[in-house]
Amino acid sequence: MSEDNHPPGRAAWLAHPLFLTFVVFVLSSIIGTFINQSIQRNADARRSYDDSLVQIAARWQDDASHANRITTLMFERAAMTDLLRSALQRQVMHEVLERKILYDAIYQRWNTQLPQILATLDGFDAAEGLRAELSASFIGDFASKFARIDGCITLVHDRFLSRATQHAFASSHLSCPPEAVTDPMRWLRLDVDKIRTGARRFETELLTRFEARRQIERRVAECIFDRRPSVWSRIMMSEVDQDEADILRARECEVQA
């Protein structure tokens, strides 16, 4: 048998046009699928990144709203204390009676909402890895002061009713400081002014902390997404647990306040 009659070898069918077409088709499919998956993953990461910025802004707004409600309640208590103190100082019976009712209402609201306020403040601290710093400060700067104000306003109110009705009232003013008992009107005015000033400062400090935290979260998100969209995608798609996500964030972006 001549050499021309030998069956074609492997090199011959590797060079066959149909085989080459098949190889090109398979490679194109694989590469195309990889490119499409990469594009889709990056698109999903971009959407999740945009959503995360919206969530960061929403958390800031929510925290700011909570802070505003807390300070608003403090200002309401201070204002009602001033109104009742004014009526007592001027000895206008109908104003005293009306404003005492309103004072008792805000007093009840305050004490009803106080546990929720402290829990909210603890949540603010927990978000920054702190331990009950805000609630402790709040109790020392505001809750304890309002407790003293309640005792002194009760003292002044009972003294007024005692003179007006010629009846002796068993005034409970144990929480009214000794230095305030002799001149509670002046002490009430000064302490309420301190609370107003402190409340403004407290709200400003809260909002400053929230804004700083928001900026850090944004910078971390931007850093991770810009440097490693794939890492961002794994984090946002919940393909890693929280501990690993924190490690990935720290590894990719060290963002300081």
Side-chain angles (χ1 to χ4, degrees), residues 1 22 29 42 59 66-67 134 150 154 174 227 241 245 252:
M1 182 180 295
F22 174 76
S29 299
N42 286 338
R59 282 198 302 273
H66 282 306
L134 284 173
D150 292 331
T154 300
L174 296 178
R227 292 186 185 178
D241 60 27
E252 294 300 324

Side-chain angles (χ1 to χ4, degrees), residues 47-146:
R47 282 194 296 271
S48 68
Y49 166 72
D50 292 339
D51 291 343
S52 75
L53 296 185
V54 173
Q55 293 169 8
I56 290 170
R59 282 198 302 273
W60 185 88
Q61 291 291 342
D62 191 48
D63 287 347
S65 177
H66 282 306
N68 180 260
R69 282 196 293 270
I70 292 171
T71 52
T72 297
L73 185 59
M74 287 194 285
F75 283 124
E76 288 178 1
R77 282 217 66 185
M80 200 63 250
T81 300
D82 257 350
L83 289 172
L84 180 55
R85 179 190 59 79
S86 174
L88 288 165
Q89 192 165 16
R90 291 181 290 107
Q91 299 186 11
V92 182
M93 176 62 80
H94 73 277
E95 288 188 6
V96 170
L97 298 177
E98 291 172 357
R99 293 178 183 183
K100 184 62 165 63
I101 292 173
L102 295 175
Y103 181 89
D104 289 344
I106 191 68
Y107 169 85
Q108 184 177 8
R109 279 180 56 204
W110 171 267
N111 285 282
T112 300
Q113 296 184 26
L114 186 58
Q116 181 181 355
I117 290 173
L118 297 178
T120 299
L121 295 176
D122 286 343
F124 293 159
D125 277 338
E128 298 181 7
L130 304 176
R131 181 172 295 179
E133 290 185 3
L134 284 173
S135 58
S137 173
F138 185 85
I139 291 173
D141 292 340
F142 303 108
S144 60
K145 281 189 175 67
F146 276 126

Side-chain angles (χ1 to χ4, degrees), residues 186-197:
R186 178 177 179 277
W187 185 88
L188 282 169
R189 179 174 56 80
L190 293 175
D191 221 36
V192 168
D193 287 344
K194 290 178 183 177
I195 284 179
R196 284 199 182 96
T197 302

Side-chain angles (χ1 to χ4, degrees):
M1 182 180 295
S2 66
E3 184 176 347
D4 292 339
N5 292 330
H6 288 165
R10 178 178 299 179
W13 62 264
L14 285 177
H16 195 283
L18 290 178
F19 177 77
L20 294 177
T21 301
F22 174 76
V23 170
V24 170
F25 173 77
V26 171
L27 291 177
S28 298
S29 299
I30 294 174
I31 295 173
T33 300
F34 175 79
I35 293 174
N36 288 335
Q37 288 178 346
S38 178
I39 293 173
Q40 184 62 45
R41 178 179 283 271
N42 286 338
D44 291 341
R46 165 58 68 177
R47 282 194 296 271
S48 68
Y49 166 72
D50 292 339
D51 291 343
S52 75
L53 296 185
V54 173
Q55 293 169 8
I56 290 170
R59 282 198 302 273
W60 185 88
Q61 291 291 342
D62 191 48
D63 287 347
S65 177
H66 282 306
N68 180 260
R69 282 196 293 270
I70 292 171
T71 52
T72 297
L73 185 59
M74 287 194 285
F75 283 124
E76 288 178 1
R77 282 217 66 185
M80 200 63 250
T81 300
D82 257 350
L83 289 172
L84 180 55
R85 179 190 59 79
S86 174
L88 288 165
Q89 192 165 16
R90 291 181 290 107
Q91 299 186 11
V92 182
M93 176 62 80
H94 73 277
E95 288 188 6
V96 170
L97 298 177
E98 291 172 357
R99 293 178 183 183
K100 184 62 165 63
I101 292 173
L102 295 175
Y103 181 89
D104 289 344
I106 191 68
Y107 169 85
Q108 184 177 8
R109 279 180 56 204
W110 171 267
N111 285 282
T112 300
Q113 296 184 26
L114 186 58
Q116 181 181 355
I117 290 173
L118 297 178
T120 299
L121 295 176
D122 286 343
F124 293 159
D125 277 338
E128 298 181 7
L130 304 176
R131 181 172 295 179
E133 290 185 3
L134 284 173
S135 58
S137 173
F138 185 85
I139 291 173
D141 292 340
F142 303 108
S144 60
K145 281 189 175 67
F146 276 126
R148 293 197 301 271
I149 286 175
D150 292 331
C152 289
I153 207 76
T154 300
L155 169 66
V156 176
H157 177 263
D158 288 356
R159 283 179 178 176
F160 170 77
L161 291 184
S162 179
R163 288 194 300 270
T165 63
Q166 300 299 314
H167 287 86
F169 284 81
S171 179
S172 174
H173 56 271
L174 296 178
S175 59
C176 188
E179 65 272 16
V181 173
T182 55
D183 191 4
M185 290 296 187
R186 178 177 179 277
W187 185 88
L188 282 169
R189 179 174 56 80
L190 293 175
D191 221 36
V192 168
D193 287 344
K194 290 178 183 177
I195 284 179
R196 284 199 182 96
T197 302
R200 293 188 187 96
R201 184 172 61 251
F202 186 76
E203 183 176 26
T204 299
E205 289 176 357
L206 282 179
L207 295 179
T208 300
R209 285 177 58 172
F210 299 157
E211 176 63 16
R213 191 175 72 207
R214 183 175 76 96
Q215 291 298 334
I216 290 174
E217 289 179 354
R218 282 182 59 90
R219 288 161 59 192
V220 169
E222 291 167 0
C223 175
I224 293 179
F225 183 79
D226 290 342
R227 292 186 185 178
R228 291 283 298 279
S230 61
V231 171
W232 173 267
S233 180
R234 290 183 63 203
I235 293 173
M236 297 308 296
M237 300 302 177
S238 299
E239 295 179 7
V240 296
D241 60 27
Q242 187 60 46
D243 290 340
E244 187 178 354
D246 291 339
I247 293 172
L248 287 170
R249 288 188 178 97
R251 182 185 302 156
E252 294 300 324
C253 296
E254 295 181 0
V255 179
Q256 301 296 326

